[in-house]
Amino acid sequence: ILVTLKVPKYDAFHLEEVQNNPNFDMKSFISKFKIAKAQHDMRSNAYLKALKAHIPMFDTIKIDDLSTLHKPLEDYDLIVTLGGDGTFLKTSSYIHDETPILGLNPDSERSYCTFCSFNPNLISMEPELVWKKVFNHDYEIEKRTRIKFGVKGPSHPASEEATSQFQILNALNEV
């Protein structure tokens, strides 16, 4: 199993982008920032801890580091995304076969996930119950159609067949 982790906006935030804004309230922002980051980290860690109870060995990677993974995603039996639609869509663009993806949204208060299988807003479940359902095969598989397309330009890390001139990519959208 590979778990791809969302890079929350709190981790990717660049303070210099807002410091010059005269309406920016630094004290309020830092207070909200710390709370949101702590809640996100706590929920994500709860999913990882619950998974470890079922499978002691699995790989994790932040979504922004996916292009540096030394193993093809197709070598995994299951890809789990912990995040919203962006994490799911970006992960799916790196998969070139029918490797299953399970989308989990641990931070549904701040992030929406059309693709998430167990969205806490729709189904009230603790992480342990989610994994129990997964490992007991208590789920339905929803097949999604993706398109494969070719583009000319600089090489993209998700490209299936890349040259400096032409590359093949996969795309998925909720439309």
Side-chain angles (χ1 to χ4, degrees):
I1 292 180
L2 172 68
V3 180
T4 60
L5 305 169
K6 172 183 182 174
V7 176
K9 60 184 169 192
Y10 347 103
D11 289 350
F13 180 74
H14 299 289
L15 194 55
E16 62 274 3
E17 293 175 9
V18 295
Q19 281 182 321
N20 296 329
N21 180 345
N23 298 324
F24 182 71
D25 179 1
M26 178 66 80
K27 197 175 210 177
S28 173
F29 171 78
I30 289 177
S31 173
K32 290 176 186 174
F33 183 90
K34 286 180 180 178
I35 292 168
K37 179 162 178 31
Q39 288 174 341
H40 172 83
D41 290 348
M42 181 183 69
R43 290 179 183 130
S44 294
N45 289 335
Y47 275 93
L48 293 172
K49 182 180 176 185
L51 174 59
K52 196 168 268 202
H54 290 275
I55 298 178
M57 298 288 292
F58 57 89
D59 295 334
T60 61
I61 190 165
K62 287 188 176 182
I63 191 67
D64 289 348
D65 298 331
L66 206 48
S67 65
T68 65
L69 190 65
H70 299 293
K71 180 177 178 180
L73 291 176
E74 293 80 11
D75 288 353
Y76 292 96
D77 294 326
L78 175 66
I79 309 293
V80 177
T81 65
L82 280 181
D85 281 340
T87 307
F88 191 98
L89 290 167
K90 189 168 185 179
T91 300
S92 75
S93 72
Y94 283 84
I95 298 173
H96 306 294
D97 67 357
E98 293 188 13
T99 301
I101 306 173
L102 172 64
L104 299 173
N105 187 1
D107 199 3
S108 61
E109 292 174 21
R110 291 173 206 37
S111 160
Y112 183 75
C113 189
T114 302
F115 298 107
C116 290
S117 304
F118 298 102
N119 187 326
N121 283 337
L122 303 175
I123 302 171
S124 179
M125 283 194 205
E126 292 298 316
E128 295 82 14
L129 294 175
V130 170
W131 293 120
K132 186 176 179 181
K133 283 185 162 287
V134 169
F135 291 110
N136 287 333
H137 303 283
D138 183 11
Y139 56 81
E140 292 179 28
I141 295 175
E142 183 177 331
K143 294 222 177 210
R144 298 280 183 148
T145 302
R146 298 189 308 164
I147 62 169
K148 186 177 280 196
F149 62 98
V151 293
K152 288 184 177 183
S155 183
H156 185 279
S159 177
E160 185 175 356
E161 302 168 23
T163 67
S164 60
Q165 300 283 321
F166 187 77
Q167 55 193 323
I168 304 293
L169 297 166
N170 294 304
L172 172 70
N173 207 334
E174 67 271 16
V175 177

